Amino acid sequence: MVKKNACIFISGAGSNLNNLILRSRDYTFPINIKLVISNNSRAKGLNYAKKNLIPYKIINTHSRDFEHKLLKDLKRYNISIICLAGYMRILSKNFIKKFKGKILNIHPSLLPKYKGLNTHQRVLNNKEKYSGCTVHFVNARLDSGKIILQKKVKISKKDTEISLAKKILVQEHKLYPKAILKVFNL
């Protein structure tokens, strides 16, 4: 199998990054992680890149030309798919257009419900019975791209924002690799 070169964008803990790194070691998994991008120099997830000897870049999203520099890096590493994994910045329409159909995101809700931030607290405030996670293609509208896969999680009466986040994260680690396999028809 010829693997596609992937870049993972992170902002925080990087558990989805670590999970994808572990999965990418399997010769039947369709991506090879060649680059990690973070907008946060203190993102704990960068330790996974370091530990696995994966090149990483910290980008200053306040710089005017950061996306131009980013596109150069992606070209240099011959990146053909981008996986957003807890990346907390919105990409421009122009950037998305250059990678149309090649940017995936994992979101901690059952889209189209609860787009954006603070999803777990909003779900609990609305007394939902279920929440979950969604892997979708990224388009120019926030959390609105075509859904690839979703996983539903039952909410218990005792769930807090933290306990719900943990339950959903367990499912994210299962769902993201399945969605990547689906995208590559495997």
Side-chain angles (χ1 to χ4, degrees):
M1 168 189 283
V2 177
K3 293 187 174 217
K4 299 287 185 186
N5 290 340
C7 180
I8 314 298
F9 284 38
I10 66 168
S11 293
S15 69
N16 272 303
L17 166 65
N18 186 48
N19 184 53
L20 292 175
I21 290 169
L22 295 173
R23 287 302 305 268
S24 70
R25 291 179 180 158
D26 183 336
Y27 74 94
T28 63
F29 199 67
I31 65 168
N32 196 1
I33 301 169
K34 292 290 189 179
L35 183 63
V36 173
I37 298 290
S38 181
N39 64 314
N40 176 4
S41 62
R42 293 181 289 177
K44 290 182 179 163
L46 291 171
N47 292 325
Y48 294 119
K50 292 173 190 173
K51 187 172 95 177
N52 289 282
L53 305 176
I54 298 170
Y56 63 91
K57 296 264 182 176
I58 298 160
I59 56 168
N60 175 1
T61 55
H62 302 295
S63 160
R64 258 189 178 178
D65 61 344
F66 87 90
E67 283 188 349
H68 177 71
K69 290 176 183 174
L70 188 53
L71 287 167
K72 280 184 174 180
D73 288 330
L74 296 172
K75 188 174 183 178
R76 184 177 331 127
Y77 286 92
N78 196 27
I79 300 299
S80 55
I81 186 166
I82 296 170
C83 298
L84 306 182
Y87 183 67
M88 303 305 286
R89 286 283 177 253
I90 295 173
L91 298 167
S92 75
K93 289 178 185 177
N94 189 42
F95 184 91
I96 293 167
K97 198 165 139 184
K98 291 188 187 326
F99 273 87
K100 187 172 174 29
K102 296 176 182 173
I103 305 175
L104 309 182
N105 183 41
I106 188 147
H107 184 75
S109 79
L110 295 172
L111 292 174
K113 288 177 128 185
Y114 303 103
K115 298 173 182 179
L117 301 174
N118 306 315
T119 55
H120 305 305
Q121 192 57 57
R122 291 188 291 145
V123 164
L124 292 171
N125 290 348
N126 288 336
K127 299 183 182 354
E128 297 281 359
K129 292 185 180 1
Y130 293 94
S131 189
C133 51
T134 304
V135 179
H136 64 95
F137 287 105
V138 173
N139 66 15
R141 293 186 337 269
L142 180 68
D143 296 328
S144 297
K146 182 181 174 198
I147 292 170
I148 301 165
L149 286 176
Q150 291 185 308
K151 178 66 178 170
K152 193 186 277 190
V153 173
K154 187 162 179 42
I155 300 171
S156 79
K157 291 184 189 224
K158 294 179 182 176
D159 269 325
T160 64
E161 186 176 4
I162 293 168
S163 67
L164 182 58
K166 286 179 181 176
K167 277 202 294 200
I168 290 174
L169 189 59
V170 167
Q171 296 308 317
E172 287 182 24
H173 292 167
K174 295 174 185 175
L175 193 68
Y176 218 160
K178 284 182 185 175
I180 290 169
L181 289 167
K182 183 176 179 184
V183 165
F184 288 101
N185 298 313
L186 298 174

